[in-house]
Every structure is written in structure tokens, then in C-alpha cells.
Coordinates of all heavy atoms in Angstrom, one line a residue:
G28 N 95.5 87.8 82.8 CA 94.8 87.1 83.9 C 93.5 88.0 84.4 O 93.5 89.2 84.1
G29 N 92.6 87.3 84.9 CA 91.4 87.9 85.3 C 91.4 88.3 86.8 O 92.4 88.2 87.4
G30 N 90.4 88.8 87.2 CA 90.2 89.2 88.6 C 90.5 90.7 88.8 O 91.1 91.4 88.0
D31 N 90.0 91.3 89.9 CA 90.2 92.6 90.2 C 91.4 92.7 91.2 O 92.0 91.8 91.6 CB 88.9 93.3 90.8 CG 88.5 92.7 92.1 OD1 89.1 91.7 92.5 OD2 87.5 93.1 92.7
A32 N 91.7 94.0 91.6 CA 92.9 94.2 92.4 C 92.7 93.5 93.8 O 93.7 93.0 94.3 CB 93.1 95.7 92.6
A33 N 91.5 93.6 94.3 CA 91.3 92.9 95.6 C 91.5 91.4 95.5 O 92.2 90.9 96.4 CB 89.9 93.2 96.1
G34 N 91.0 90.8 94.5 CA 91.3 89.3 94.3 C 92.7 89.0 94.1 O 93.1 88.0 94.7
R35 N 93.3 89.8 93.3 CA 94.8 89.5 93.1 C 95.6 89.7 94.4 O 96.5 89.0 94.7 CB 95.3 90.4 92.0 CG 94.8 90.0 90.6 CD 95.2 91.0 89.6 NE 94.5 90.7 88.3 CZ 94.8 91.3 87.2 NH1 95.7 92.3 87.1 NH2 94.2 91.0 86.1
A36 N 95.3 90.8 95.1 CA 96.0 91.0 96.4 C 95.7 89.9 97.4 O 96.7 89.4 98.0 CB 95.5 92.3 97.0
R37 N 94.5 89.4 97.5 CA 94.1 88.3 98.4 C 94.9 87.0 98.0 O 95.4 86.3 98.7 CB 92.7 88.0 98.4 CG 91.9 89.0 99.2 CD 90.5 88.6 99.5 NE 89.7 88.3 98.3 CZ 89.0 89.1 97.5 NH1 88.9 90.3 97.8 NH2 88.4 88.7 96.5
L38 N 95.0 86.8 96.6 CA 95.7 85.6 96.2 C 97.2 85.7 96.5 O 97.8 84.7 97.0 CB 95.6 85.4 94.6 CG 96.3 84.3 94.0 CD1 95.9 83.0 94.5 CD2 96.2 84.3 92.5
L39 N 97.8 86.8 96.3 CA 99.3 87.0 96.7 C 99.5 86.8 98.2 O 100.4 86.2 98.6 CB 99.7 88.4 96.2 CG 101.2 88.6 96.4 CD1 102.1 87.6 95.9 CD2 101.6 90.0 95.9
V40 N 98.5 87.3 99.0 CA 98.6 87.1 100.4 C 98.5 85.6 100.8 O 99.4 85.1 101.6 CB 97.5 87.9 101.2 CG1 97.5 87.5 102.7 CG2 97.9 89.4 101.1
A41 N 97.6 84.9 100.2 CA 97.5 83.5 100.4 C 98.8 82.8 100.0 O 99.2 81.9 100.7 CB 96.3 83.0 99.7
L42 N 99.4 83.1 98.8 CA 100.6 82.4 98.4 C 101.7 82.7 99.4 O 102.5 81.8 99.7 CB 100.9 82.9 96.9 CG 99.9 82.4 95.9 CD1 100.3 83.1 94.6 CD2 100.0 80.9 95.7
C43 N 101.8 84.0 99.9 CA 102.9 84.3 100.9 C 102.7 83.5 102.1 O 103.6 82.9 102.6 CB 102.8 85.7 101.1 SG 103.5 86.8 99.8
R44 N 101.4 83.4 102.6 CA 101.2 82.7 103.8 C 101.5 81.2 103.7 O 101.9 80.5 104.6 CB 99.8 83.0 104.3 CG 99.6 84.5 104.8 CD 98.2 84.8 105.3 NE 98.1 86.1 105.7 CZ 96.9 86.6 106.0 NH1 95.7 86.0 105.9 NH2 96.8 87.9 106.5
A45 N 101.2 80.7 102.5 CA 101.5 79.3 102.3 C 103.0 79.0 102.4 O 103.4 77.8 102.6 CB 100.9 78.9 100.9
R46 N 103.8 80.0 102.1 CA 105.3 79.9 102.3 C 105.7 80.4 103.6 O 107.0 80.7 103.8 CB 105.9 80.6 101.1 CG 105.5 80.2 99.8 CD 106.1 78.9 99.4 NE 107.6 78.9 99.4 CZ 108.3 77.9 99.3 NH1 107.8 76.8 99.0 NH2 109.7 78.1 99.3
N47 N 104.9 80.6 104.6 CA 105.1 81.1 105.9 C 105.7 82.5 105.9 O 106.6 82.8 106.7 CB 106.0 80.1 106.7 CG 105.4 78.8 107.0 OD1 104.2 78.8 107.4 ND2 106.0 77.7 106.8
I48 N 105.2 83.3 105.0 CA 105.7 84.7 104.9 C 104.4 85.5 105.4 O 103.3 85.4 104.9 CB 106.0 85.2 103.5 CG1 107.2 84.3 102.9 CG2 106.3 86.6 103.4 CD1 107.5 84.5 101.5
H49 N 104.6 86.3 106.4 CA 103.5 87.1 107.0 C 103.1 88.1 105.8 O 103.9 88.8 105.2 CB 104.0 87.9 108.2 CG 104.3 87.0 109.4 ND1 103.4 86.3 110.0 CD2 105.5 86.7 109.9 CE1 104.0 85.6 110.9 NE2 105.2 85.8 110.9
A50 N 101.8 88.2 105.6 CA 101.3 89.2 104.5 C 100.0 89.7 104.9 O 99.3 89.0 105.7 CB 101.3 88.4 103.2
R51 N 99.6 90.8 104.3 CA 98.4 91.5 104.6 C 97.9 92.2 103.3 O 98.7 92.6 102.4 CB 98.4 92.4 105.7 CG 99.4 93.6 105.5 CD 99.5 94.4 106.7 NE 100.4 95.5 106.5 CZ 100.9 96.3 107.4 NH1 100.5 96.1 108.7 NH2 101.7 97.3 107.2
V52 N 96.6 92.4 103.2 CA 96.0 93.2 102.2 C 95.9 94.7 102.6 O 95.6 94.9 103.8 CB 94.6 92.7 101.8 CG1 94.0 93.7 100.7 CG2 94.7 91.3 101.2
V53 N 96.3 95.6 101.8 CA 96.3 97.0 102.1 C 95.2 97.6 101.2 O 95.2 97.3 100.0 CB 97.6 97.7 101.9 CG1 97.6 99.2 102.1 CG2 98.7 97.1 102.8
S54 N 94.4 98.5 101.8 CA 93.4 99.2 101.0 C 93.8 100.7 100.9 O 94.3 101.3 101.9 CB 92.0 99.1 101.6 OG 91.6 97.7 101.6
A55 N 93.5 101.3 99.8 CA 93.9 102.7 99.6 C 92.9 103.4 98.6 O 92.2 102.7 97.9 CB 95.3 102.9 99.1
V56 N 92.9 104.7 98.7 CA 92.2 105.5 97.7 C 93.2 106.0 96.8 O 94.2 106.7 97.2 CB 91.4 106.6 98.4 CG1 90.7 107.5 97.3 CG2 90.4 106.1 99.4
S57 N 93.0 105.8 95.5 CA 93.9 106.3 94.5 C 93.5 107.8 94.1 O 92.3 107.9 93.6 CB 93.9 105.5 93.2 OG 94.8 105.9 92.2
L58 N 94.3 108.8 94.3 CA 93.9 110.1 94.1 C 94.8 110.6 92.9 O 96.0 110.6 92.9 CB 94.2 111.0 95.3 CG 93.5 110.6 96.5 CD1 94.0 111.4 97.7 CD2 92.0 110.8 96.4
S59 N 94.1 111.1 91.8 CA 94.8 111.6 90.7 C 94.0 112.8 90.2 O 92.8 112.8 90.2 CB 94.9 110.4 89.6 OG 95.6 110.9 88.5
A60 N 94.8 113.7 89.6 CA 94.1 114.9 89.1 C 93.3 114.7 87.9 O 92.3 115.3 87.6 CB 95.2 116.0 88.7
D61 N 93.6 113.6 87.0 CA 92.8 113.4 85.8 C 91.8 112.2 85.9 O 91.2 112.0 84.8 CB 93.7 113.2 84.6 CG 94.9 112.2 85.0 OD1 95.2 112.1 86.2 OD2 95.4 111.7 84.1
T62 N 91.7 111.6 87.1 CA 90.7 110.6 87.1 C 89.9 110.7 88.6 O 90.5 111.2 89.5 CB 91.3 109.1 87.1 OG1 92.3 109.0 88.1 CG2 91.9 108.9 85.8
P63 N 88.7 110.2 88.7 CA 88.0 110.3 90.0 C 88.7 109.3 91.0 O 89.3 108.3 90.6 CB 86.6 109.8 89.6 CG 86.6 109.2 88.3 CD 87.9 109.6 87.6
P64 N 88.5 109.6 92.2 CA 89.1 108.7 93.3 C 88.6 107.3 93.2 O 87.4 107.1 92.8 CB 88.6 109.4 94.5 CG 88.3 110.8 94.3 CD 87.8 110.7 92.9
A65 N 89.4 106.3 93.4 CA 89.1 104.9 93.3 C 89.7 104.1 94.4 O 90.9 104.5 94.8 CB 89.5 104.4 91.9
I66 N 89.1 103.1 94.8 CA 89.6 102.2 95.8 C 90.6 101.3 95.1 O 90.3 100.7 94.0 CB 88.6 101.4 96.5 CG1 87.6 102.3 97.2 CG2 89.2 100.3 97.4 CD1 88.2 103.1 98.4
H67 N 91.8 101.0 95.7 CA 92.7 100.1 95.2 C 93.3 99.2 96.3 O 93.3 99.7 97.4 CB 93.9 100.8 94.4 CG 94.9 99.9 93.8 ND1 94.5 99.0 92.8 CD2 96.2 99.7 93.9 CE1 95.5 98.3 92.4 NE2 96.6 98.7 93.1
R68 N 93.7 98.0 95.9 CA 94.2 97.1 97.0 C 95.5 96.4 96.5 O 95.6 96.1 95.3 CB 93.2 96.0 97.4 CG 92.0 96.7 98.2 CD 90.9 95.7 98.5 NE 89.9 96.3 99.3 CZ 88.9 96.9 98.7 NH1 88.7 96.9 97.4 NH2 87.9 97.4 99.4
W69 N 96.4 96.2 97.4 CA 97.6 95.4 97.0 C 98.0 94.6 98.3 O 97.4 94.7 99.3 CB 98.7 96.4 96.6 CG 99.2 97.3 97.6 CD1 100.2 97.1 98.6 CD2 98.8 98.7 97.8 NE1 100.3 98.4 99.3 CE2 99.3 99.3 98.8 CE3 97.8 99.5 97.1 CZ2 99.2 100.6 99.2 CZ3 97.5 100.8 97.5 CH2 98.3 101.3 98.5
A70 N 99.1 93.9 98.2 CA 99.6 93.1 99.3 C 100.8 93.6 99.9 O 101.6 94.5 99.2 CB 99.9 91.6 98.9
E71 N 101.1 93.4 101.1 CA 102.4 93.8 101.8 C 102.9 92.5 102.4 O 102.1 91.8 103.1 CB 102.2 94.9 102.8 CG 102.0 96.2 102.3 CD 102.0 97.3 103.2 OE1 101.7 97.1 104.4 OE2 102.3 98.5 102.8
A72 N 104.2 92.2 102.3 CA 104.8 91.1 103.0 C 105.8 91.6 104.0 O 106.5 92.6 103.7 CB 105.5 90.3 101.9
W73 N 105.8 90.9 105.1 CA 106.8 91.2 106.2 C 108.1 90.6 105.9 O 108.3 89.4 105.8 CB 106.3 90.8 107.5 CG 107.2 91.1 108.7 CD1 108.0 90.2 109.3 CD2 107.4 92.3 109.3 NE1 108.7 90.8 110.3 CE2 108.4 92.2 110.3 CE3 106.9 93.6 109.1 CZ2 108.8 93.2 111.0 CZ3 107.3 94.6 109.9 CH2 108.2 94.4 110.9
I74 N 109.1 91.5 105.8 CA 110.5 91.0 105.4 C 111.4 91.3 106.7 O 111.6 92.5 107.0 CB 111.1 91.7 104.1 CG1 110.1 91.6 103.0 CG2 112.4 91.2 103.9 CD1 109.9 90.1 102.6
P75 N 111.7 90.3 107.4 CA 112.6 90.5 108.6 C 114.0 91.0 108.3 O 114.5 90.7 107.2 CB 112.6 89.2 109.3 CG 112.3 88.1 108.2 CD 111.5 88.9 107.2
D76 N 114.5 91.8 109.2 CA 115.9 92.2 109.0 C 116.8 91.2 109.7 O 116.7 91.1 110.9 CB 116.1 93.6 109.8 CG 115.4 94.8 109.0 OD1 115.2 94.6 107.8 OD2 115.1 95.7 109.6
G77 N 117.6 90.5 109.0 CA 118.5 89.5 109.5 C 117.8 88.3 110.1 O 116.8 87.8 109.4
T78 N 118.1 87.9 111.2 CA 117.6 86.7 111.9 C 116.5 87.0 112.9 O 115.9 86.1 113.5 CB 118.7 85.9 112.6 OG1 119.3 86.7 113.6 CG2 119.8 85.4 111.5
N79 N 116.2 88.3 113.1 CA 115.2 88.7 114.1 C 113.9 88.9 113.3 O 113.7 90.0 112.7 CB 115.6 90.0 114.8 CG 114.7 90.3 116.0 OD1 113.6 89.8 116.1 ND2 115.1 91.3 116.8
D80 N 112.9 88.1 113.6 CA 111.5 88.2 113.0 C 110.8 89.4 113.5 O 109.9 89.9 112.8 CB 110.7 87.0 113.2 CG 111.2 85.8 112.3 OD1 111.9 86.1 111.3 OD2 110.7 84.6 112.5
K81 N 111.1 90.0 114.6 CA 110.4 91.0 115.2 C 110.8 92.4 114.6 O 110.1 93.4 114.8 CB 110.5 91.1 116.7 CG 109.8 89.8 117.2 CD 109.8 89.9 118.8 CE 109.1 88.5 119.2 NZ 108.5 88.6 120.4
Q82 N 111.9 92.4 114.0 CA 112.4 93.7 113.3 C 112.5 93.5 111.8 O 113.0 92.4 111.3 CB 113.8 94.1 113.9 CG 113.8 94.4 115.3 CD 115.2 95.0 115.7 OE1 116.1 95.0 114.9 NE2 115.3 95.3 117.0
G83 N 111.9 94.4 111.1 CA 111.8 94.3 109.7 C 111.0 95.4 109.1 O 110.7 96.4 109.7
R84 N 110.4 95.0 107.9 CA 109.5 96.1 107.3 C 108.5 95.4 106.5 O 108.7 94.4 106.0 CB 110.4 97.1 106.5 CG 111.1 96.5 105.4 CD 112.2 97.5 104.9 NE 113.0 96.8 103.9 CZ 112.9 97.0 102.6 NH1 111.9 97.8 102.1 NH2 113.6 96.4 101.7
W85 N 107.4 96.1 106.3 CA 106.3 95.7 105.3 C 106.8 96.2 104.0 O 107.0 97.4 103.7 CB 105.0 96.3 105.7 CG 104.4 95.6 107.0 CD1 104.5 96.1 108.2 CD2 103.8 94.3 107.0 NE1 103.9 95.3 109.1 CE2 103.4 94.2 108.4 CE3 103.5 93.3 106.1 CZ2 102.8 93.0 108.8 CZ3 102.9 92.2 106.5 CH2 102.6 92.0 107.9
V86 N 106.8 95.3 103.0 CA 107.1 95.6 101.6 C 106.0 95.5 100.7 O 105.4 94.4 100.6 CB 108.3 94.7 101.1 CG1 108.7 95.0 99.7 CG2 109.5 94.8 102.0
P87 N 105.6 96.5 100.0 CA 104.4 96.5 99.2 C 104.6 95.7 97.9 O 105.7 95.7 97.3 CB 104.1 98.0 98.9 CG 105.4 98.6 99.0 CD 106.2 97.9 100.1
A88 N 103.5 95.1 97.5 CA 103.6 94.3 96.1 C 102.2 94.4 95.5 O 101.2 93.9 96.1 CB 104.0 92.9 96.4
C89 N 102.2 95.1 94.3 CA 101.0 95.2 93.6 C 100.9 94.4 92.4 O 101.5 94.8 91.4 CB 100.6 96.7 93.3 SG 99.2 97.0 92.3
P90 N 100.2 93.2 92.5 CA 100.2 92.3 91.3 C 99.4 92.9 90.1 O 99.5 92.5 89.0 CB 99.7 91.1 91.8 CG 98.9 91.4 93.0 CD 99.5 92.6 93.6
T91 N 98.5 93.9 90.5 CA 97.6 94.4 89.4 C 98.4 95.4 88.5 O 98.3 95.3 87.2 CB 96.5 95.2 90.0 OG1 95.7 94.4 90.8 CG2 95.6 95.8 89.0
Y92 N 99.3 96.2 89.0 CA 99.9 97.2 88.2 C 101.4 96.9 88.1 O 102.2 97.7 87.5 CB 99.7 98.6 88.7 CG 98.2 99.0 88.5 CD1 97.5 99.4 89.6 CD2 97.6 99.1 87.3 CE1 96.1 99.7 89.5 CE2 96.3 99.4 87.1 CZ 95.5 99.7 88.3 OH 94.2 100.0 88.1
G93 N 101.9 95.9 88.8 CA 103.3 95.5 88.8 C 104.2 96.4 89.5 O 105.4 96.6 89.1
H94 N 103.8 96.9 90.7 CA 104.7 97.8 91.5 C 105.1 96.8 92.6 O 104.3 96.3 93.4 CB 103.9 98.9 92.1 CG 103.2 99.9 91.2 ND1 104.0 100.6 90.3 CD2 102.0 100.1 90.9 CE1 103.2 101.3 89.6 NE2 102.0 101.1 89.8
Y95 N 106.4 96.7 92.8 CA 107.0 95.8 93.8 C 108.1 96.6 94.5 O 109.0 97.1 93.9 CB 107.5 94.5 93.1 CG 106.5 93.8 92.5 CD1 106.3 93.8 91.1 CD2 105.5 93.0 93.2 CE1 105.2 93.2 90.5 CE2 104.5 92.3 92.6 CZ 104.4 92.4 91.2 OH 103.4 91.7 90.6
G96 N 108.0 96.5 95.8 CA 109.0 97.3 96.7 C 108.6 98.8 96.7 O 107.6 99.2 96.2
T97 N 109.5 99.6 97.4 CA 109.1 100.9 97.6 C 109.6 101.9 96.5 O 109.2 103.0 96.4 CB 109.7 101.4 99.0 OG1 111.1 101.1 99.0 CG2 109.1 100.7 100.1
R98 N 110.5 101.5 95.7 CA 111.0 102.3 94.6 C 109.9 102.4 93.5 O 109.3 101.4 93.1 CB 112.2 101.7 93.9 CG 113.4 101.9 94.7 CD 114.6 101.6 93.9 NE 115.8 101.8 94.7 CZ 117.0 101.6 94.2 NH1 117.2 101.2 92.9 NH2 118.0 101.8 94.9
G99 N 109.6 103.6 93.1 CA 108.7 103.9 92.0 C 107.2 103.6 92.4 O 106.3 103.6 91.6
W100 N 107.0 103.6 93.8 CA 105.6 103.3 94.2 C 104.9 104.6 94.0 O 105.3 105.8 94.2 CB 105.6 103.0 95.6 CG 104.3 102.4 96.1 CD1 103.3 103.0 96.8 CD2 103.9 101.0 95.9 NE1 102.3 102.2 97.0 CE2 102.6 100.9 96.4 CE3 104.4 100.0 95.3 CZ2 101.9 99.7 96.4 CZ3 103.7 98.8 95.3 CH2 102.5 98.7 95.8
P101 N 103.6 104.5 93.4 CA 102.8 105.8 93.1 C 102.6 106.6 94.3 O 102.1 106.1 95.3 CB 101.5 105.2 92.5 CG 101.8 103.8 92.1 CD 102.9 103.3 93.1
P102 N 102.8 107.9 94.2 CA 102.6 108.8 95.4 C 101.1 109.2 95.5 O 100.8 109.9 96.4 CB 103.5 110.0 95.0 CG 103.5 110.0 93.6 CD 103.6 108.6 93.1
T103 N 100.3 108.7 94.6 CA 98.8 109.1 94.6 C 98.0 108.1 95.4 O 96.8 108.3 95.5 CB 98.3 109.0 93.2 OG1 98.5 107.8 92.6 CG2 99.1 110.1 92.4
Y104 N 98.6 107.2 96.1 CA 97.8 106.3 97.0 C 97.7 106.8 98.4 O 98.7 107.1 99.0 CB 98.4 104.9 97.1 CG 98.3 104.1 95.7 CD1 99.2 103.2 95.5 CD2 97.3 104.4 94.8 CE1 99.3 102.5 94.3 CE2 97.4 103.6 93.6 CZ 98.3 102.7 93.4 OH 98.3 102.0 92.2
L105 N 96.5 107.0 98.9 CA 96.2 107.3 100.3 C 95.7 106.1 101.1 O 94.6 105.6 100.8 CB 95.1 108.4 100.3 CG 94.7 108.9 101.8 CD1 95.8 109.5 102.5 CD2 93.5 109.9 101.6
V106 N 96.6 105.6 101.9 CA 96.3 104.3 102.6 C 95.2 104.5 103.6 O 95.2 105.5 104.3 CB 97.5 103.7 103.2 CG1 97.2 102.5 104.0 CG2 98.6 103.4 102.1
V107 N 94.3 103.6 103.6 CA 93.1 103.6 104.5 C 93.4 102.5 105.6 O 93.5 101.4 105.3 CB 91.8 103.3 103.8 CG1 90.6 103.3 104.8 CG2 91.6 104.3 102.8
R108 N 93.6 103.0 106.9 CA 93.9 102.0 107.9 C 92.7 101.8 108.9 O 92.0 102.7 109.1 CB 95.1 102.3 108.6 CG 96.3 102.4 107.8 CD 97.5 101.8 108.5 NE 98.7 102.0 107.7 CZ 99.3 101.0 107.0 NH1 98.8 99.8 107.1 NH2 100.3 101.3 106.3

């Protein structure tokens, strides 16, 4: 598929929101010893704990590189808030 990381993240956020799942785009700088710093974007979806929508957590999902959930998430991303 085409598109850059920002476009893919926005599409995933739109698909989540269409299913009434709270979602947002996250921007970060990718820091690696062997490549120059680069901006990267992915989506996060709010997953409630049980039946209480106010308690839960943001779960990352990167459609560009196939990283989903917190396991195996690259430690080289510095989130920009």
C-alpha cells in the first residue's frame, strides 16, 4: 500500500473513530545510532478497562511498521507532545 506514516496513522484513527473507538495520532522522533533522526507517526486507541470508559490505557498501533500493542515497541521513539 501507498502513503506515508502520517497518512496511514490518520486513516487508522479515522477507522477507529468510525467504530466509536477513541483514537489519536502520535508524533515522535525516531532516534537510532545508524540513521539520522526522523519524524514518525502512529495511532493510539483508547482501550477501557472493563465497563468503565474513564479508566483504561492508550494502546499504540503502527500500521507502517506493523507494531501493535506495547510488546516489542521500538525503544528508539521519542514522543513529541
Side-chain angles (χ1 to χ4, degrees):
D31 62 359
R35 291 175 185 187
R37 286 191 307 269
L38 176 59
L39 183 53
V40 166
L42 292 171
C43 287
R44 289 178 178 173
R46 302 287 300 173
N47 292 319
I48 298 169
H49 298 289
R51 64 187 180 188
V52 173
V53 177
S54 297
V56 177
S57 178
L58 302 172
S59 179
D61 46 335
T62 58
I66 299 295
H67 184 58
R68 291 177 181 86
W69 61 87
E71 286 185 337
W73 178 257
I74 306 301
D76 290 335
T78 58
N79 185 346
D80 283 346
K81 296 187 183 207
Q82 292 185 2
R84 61 192 174 104
W85 288 101
V86 177
C89 177
T91 303
Y92 296 119
H94 302 295
Y95 300 98
T97 55
R98 283 190 179 180
W100 198 258
T103 57
Y104 292 153
L105 176 63
V106 175
V107 180
R108 299 220 188 253

